Amino acid sequence: MRMNPVLDRELRERVRGARSGVLVTLYLVLLGAFFLLTLYASTISGSGSRGLQATDVARVGRSCFEWLIFFMLIFVMFLVPGLTSSAVAGERERQTLVPMQVTLLRPRHIVAGKVQASVAFLLLLIVAALPLVSICYAIGGLSVVDAVSGLAAVAFTGLVLACIATGCSAIAKRTQTATLLAYFLTLCLNIGTFMVWGIAGSLGRSEPPVVILTLNPFMNASALAGGKTSNLLDINGPLTGMRAIVQQSGRSNSFGSSSSQSIGAITPSNDVLNFAVGSTMVLLTVAMLAVWFASTKLRTPAERER
Amino acid sequence: MTNVDVPASPPAPPMPFAPPPLADPGLAVQTSVLTKRYGSLYALSSMSLEIPKGAVYGLIGPNGAGKTTTFSILATLLLPTSGWVRVAGHDPVTEQAKVRAKVGYMPDIVGTYDNLLVGEYLRFFALSFRVPTREVDNLVGNLLELVDLTSKRDAMVNSLSRGMKQRLSLARALVNDPEVLILDEPASGLDPRARIELRDLIANLQRMGKTILISSHILPELQEMCDTVGIMEMGRLLASGTPEAILAQMGAVRRVHIRFADGAVDDVPVRDDAEAAALLRRIVVEYGRDVVEFREIQDDLESVFMRVTEGRVQ
């Protein structure tokens, strides 16, 4: 199977430029610093008068992992839109779009290559963070499934944002406009959905519908990354807090089937699982729409008129 | 070649029911009453053009004349509003992929990528034309040799001079071994040396059997490079043919420039060599004046262009 020429070119350009190297280095330094702070804080707060017990150690490991995934999500939300928003707008600015359009590449190939290049960079970020994940695993409180699902949640969030940023890039004529639009939409998804959810809650007597939060990448990641151990260990990580919103909402009204009453305390509740599936489907739809939209914007005037 | 008389302005709307001509296998580009309209604005009006295979055809016209619109339609980037068109035997409207496979298009602005080597730049476009991966390296080498950039294969594209970038862009337009090469203002912004190199390169490509369409504002240069030219204004093809045919068609005037020994000068129109000889004899023998210079002046394409066009744009 042939590699997409656009992906091939993008990768060559990215590895040669200094920007990617600087970004990855900065990312690792900051992530490492945050991780060490979290580890220190968790160890201090976890140790009682009798020192760290086995469950305390497991709680520290799990808590560190949750915070690690949380920080990775934040970095991904900053880096992916910024790096992807120049995908199409940059081609327009450099006057390289027309020569590409008169080749045998179809618009969908061009968009796919751009998204794949962003995902490749995202995978680099994830792989670079693996040593930190392995430290969490070594401390304990984390299963392989937990670790994989957490990293998959980061990857999925990055994929969605890469698709959205590519769509923004296809709309805007200038890279700066595309970047602003991509960050604005990322903010809308992450903070706007919480605001709408909060406003909906303040208007009605019952709990606001959690379905609003299916568009929130953080909520999606927290649901996807919710392993068995987080519930067993009763930790206070950032993602656990978000999962609690779904579980609490599941008890008050319903998102999918609400059978969490009996088993929610020891396994990921059905509410969380249903939320994870529903949110993934919603975000996947948003991503596919963004890709489709970018493809339509990349068609030549002749293809659009046809 | 189709010759079109100088039109009365504004351009007339195209004939709506003109029957399409038969595709001629000897022609690389064939259009009939080709029209592109944006609302009430005619970017291209009833253009009928026939370019034989292997020709170098130059399109001259002021900005907004419709040259780039014509090229964009031929390169499958724009759809005509009406009319009939064939490029390398295919219809750019319904057979885009087939046309793209046989056409090399070089836009007026050479866009380049940051952080990409010259060889990688051509490799990308070769792969985009589905050139088999095992053949790409060889193809890139041959193209760089053709445009005399072999030594720059591992140089960054952005480090090239404008002339080199233009040659690289030409090499890019050749990656699919096109039958028809469309070059929009290829000499724009080049220094004299780079222009001469480009002219030699185009002559070389013609020898390789390519049909080449060039647009330019630099008329004398186009006259040198092209064996046939077309003059456009306000979306219409005013004249098309060999430079000599256009000069004859547009009523180019022969004149003799006479400079007398006393410093007086005069330009006198003549019909032919015999009349010029008779004029010289009359001046010297009958009037007894000393002539220090007696030479023919002929309208060139530039003066004809200036006469038939009025620099109007829509």
Side-chain angles (χ1 to χ4, degrees):
Chain A
M1 192 176 144
R2 275 172 73 120
M3 190 182 198
N4 184 328
V6 179
L7 172 64
D8 180 69
R9 195 206 71 215
E10 289 272 335
L11 291 181
R12 284 171 194 272
E13 275 193 284
R14 286 190 188 208
V15 295
R16 192 163 292 125
R19 194 167 68 155
S20 297
V22 170
L23 282 177
V24 172
T25 306
L26 205 61
Y27 158 80
L28 277 178
V29 167
L30 289 173
L31 195 64
F34 286 133
F35 179 77
L36 285 175
L37 279 174
T38 309
L39 183 62
Y40 178 73
S42 302
T43 311
I44 296 293
S45 65
S47 59
S49 55
R50 292 173 299 156
L52 278 174
Q53 302 298 307
T55 50
D56 296 332
V57 173
R59 200 171 285 128
V60 168
R62 177 71 205 189
S63 179
C64 282
F65 177 72
E66 285 231 346
W67 279 104
L68 180 66
I69 294 295
F70 179 74
F71 288 131
M72 284 174 75
L73 282 170
I74 288 179
F75 282 122
V76 161
M77 282 172 196
F78 270 104
L79 292 176
V80 171
L83 287 173
T84 314
S85 56
S86 64
V88 180
E91 298 276 359
R92 283 202 190 97
E93 281 180 341
R94 289 180 302 204
Q95 310 272 359
T96 49
L97 190 58
V98 169
M100 205 155 54
Q101 284 175 318
V102 294
T103 67
L104 298 180
L105 287 174
R106 310 293 305 132
R108 64 175 181 276
H109 296 140
I110 299 172
V111 173
K114 298 285 183 185
V115 172
Q116 285 166 1
S118 288
V119 171
F121 182 73
L122 178 72
L123 291 178
L124 177 66
L125 295 183
I126 290 173
V127 169
L130 281 181
L132 299 177
V133 176
S134 64
I135 292 174
C136 297
Y137 186 75
I139 294 171
L142 190 68
S143 69
V144 174
V145 175
D146 290 344
V148 171
S149 60
L151 295 175
V154 176
F156 179 72
T157 303
L159 171 70
V160 171
L161 293 179
C163 293
I164 292 172
T166 305
C168 294
S169 188
I171 299 172
K173 286 183 179 166
R174 294 172 58 82
T175 302
Q176 287 95 326
T177 316
T179 308
L180 282 175
L181 190 60
Y183 278 124
F184 175 73
L185 287 180
T186 306
L187 267 179
C188 284
L189 290 178
N190 286 300
I191 297 172
T193 47
F194 270 124
M195 287 171 69
V196 173
W197 181 72
I199 292 166
S202 64
L203 293 177
R205 287 181 182 177
S206 61
E207 281 287 313
V210 78
V211 71
I212 295 169
L213 297 176
T214 53
L215 274 168
N216 189 301
F218 266 115
M219 289 295 291
N220 173 263
S222 69
L224 285 177
K228 291 178 182 177
T229 42
S230 61
N231 290 50
L232 287 169
L233 292 168
D234 187 28
I235 60 155
N236 289 317
L239 304 181
T240 313
M242 291 186 201
R243 278 195 296 276
I245 294 172
V246 178
Q247 284 175 316
Q248 195 176 345
S249 180
R251 291 188 193 103
S252 307
N253 48 53
S254 67
F255 178 82
S257 67
S258 178
S259 54
S260 61
Q261 302 280 358
S262 57
I263 56 172
I266 54 169
T267 61
S269 72
N270 280 357
D271 290 315
V272 174
L273 288 177
N274 287 337
F275 182 87
V277 172
S279 176
T280 302
M281 297 303 287
V282 168
L283 288 174
L284 211 52
T285 307
V286 170
M288 285 168 68
L289 280 174
V291 166
W292 172 80
F293 183 70
S295 298
T296 60
K297 297 298 278 184
L298 268 175
R299 289 186 301 185
T300 61
E303 288 165 334
R304 280 200 291 269
E305 282 178 40
R306 197 191 297 265
Chain B
M1 289 295 143
T2 304
N3 292 322
V4 182
D5 291 331
V6 179
S9 58
M15 286 188 296
F17 302 114
L22 291 172
D24 185 340
L27 296 175
V29 175
Q30 201 176 358
T31 74
S32 175
V33 286
L34 195 66
T35 299
K36 179 67 186 175
R37 191 159 49 90
Y38 298 99
S40 59
L41 181 80
Y42 282 85
L44 197 61
S45 182
S46 304
M47 181 193 234
S48 294
L49 184 66
E50 291 179 348
I51 302 172
K53 286 183 176 172
V56 179
Y57 187 89
L59 215 46
I60 314 164
N63 289 330
K67 305 185 298 292
T68 300
T69 302
T70 307
F71 283 0
S72 296
I73 291 173
L74 300 180
T76 75
L77 289 168
L78 277 180
L79 280 189
T81 307
S82 62
W84 183 92
V85 57
R86 289 290 180 276
V87 180
H90 298 289
D91 184 352
V93 178
T94 58
E95 300 172 293
Q96 286 194 340
K98 285 180 180 171
V99 171
R100 285 177 187 179
K102 290 186 174 182
V103 168
Y105 176 58
M106 180 176 151
D108 51 348
I109 298 170
V110 180
T112 53
Y113 295 99
D114 302 328
N115 303 319
L116 211 57
L117 304 179
V118 167
E120 290 172 343
Y121 177 81
L122 290 179
R123 174 191 156 84
F124 165 61
F125 283 100
L127 292 173
S128 299
F129 272 107
R130 296 178 198 155
V131 173
T133 313
R134 64 181 178 281
E135 295 173 16
V136 168
D137 276 352
N138 199 25
L139 172 70
V140 168
N142 290 341
L143 287 172
L144 288 175
E145 194 180 335
L146 181 71
V147 298
D148 198 20
L149 285 176
T150 305
S151 61
K152 297 288 180 182
R153 184 171 183 148
D154 294 324
M156 301 296 280
V157 175
N158 276 347
S159 71
L160 299 184
S161 68
R162 184 171 177 115
M164 286 178 180
K165 280 183 183 170
Q166 208 80 346
R167 296 210 305 269
L168 178 63
S169 185
L170 187 55
R172 178 197 57 69
L174 289 164
V175 289
N176 54 331
D177 191 19
E179 288 179 23
V180 179
L181 201 52
I182 300 172
L183 313 176
D184 198 356
E185 303 278 354
S188 164
L190 296 185
D191 60 38
R193 184 180 183 84
R195 281 182 187 162
I196 291 166
E197 285 170 353
L198 183 71
R199 192 184 63 199
D200 293 345
L201 193 53
I202 286 169
N204 198 9
L205 290 169
Q206 187 183 25
R207 281 193 290 275
M208 291 165 67
K210 310 282 182 203
T211 306
I212 304 166
L213 278 76
I214 309 171
S215 72
S216 179
H217 290 113
I218 306 157
L219 304 183
E221 190 176 82
L222 210 56
Q223 202 171 352
E224 277 181 38
M225 279 194 282
C226 305
D227 36 45
T228 44
V229 292
I231 299 178
M232 287 191 80
E233 189 177 48
M234 292 185 75
R236 302 199 74 183
L237 188 64
L238 304 182
S240 179
T242 61
E244 295 75 24
I246 288 181
L247 289 172
Q249 184 192 346
M250 294 298 169
V253 180
R254 286 180 78 182
R255 283 166 296 144
V256 286
H257 175 78
I258 310 161
R259 188 154 61 90
F260 297 97
D262 57 7
V265 291
D266 201 1
D267 287 348
V268 182
V270 291
R271 278 194 297 274
D272 49 29
D273 289 349
E275 189 176 334
L279 173 69
L280 180 61
R281 192 169 51 246
R282 202 161 59 244
I283 291 168
V284 174
V285 177
E286 293 182 18
Y287 300 115
R289 296 188 68 177
D290 293 333
V291 173
V292 292
E293 187 180 356
F294 188 91
R295 63 180 168 84
E296 184 186 338
I297 308 170
Q298 191 168 36
D299 272 358
D300 58 7
L301 203 55
E302 197 163 33
S303 54
V304 169
F305 172 77
M306 292 305 289
R307 191 142 43 84
V308 299
T309 64
E310 296 170 26
R312 290 173 306 190
V313 291
Q314 296 193 62

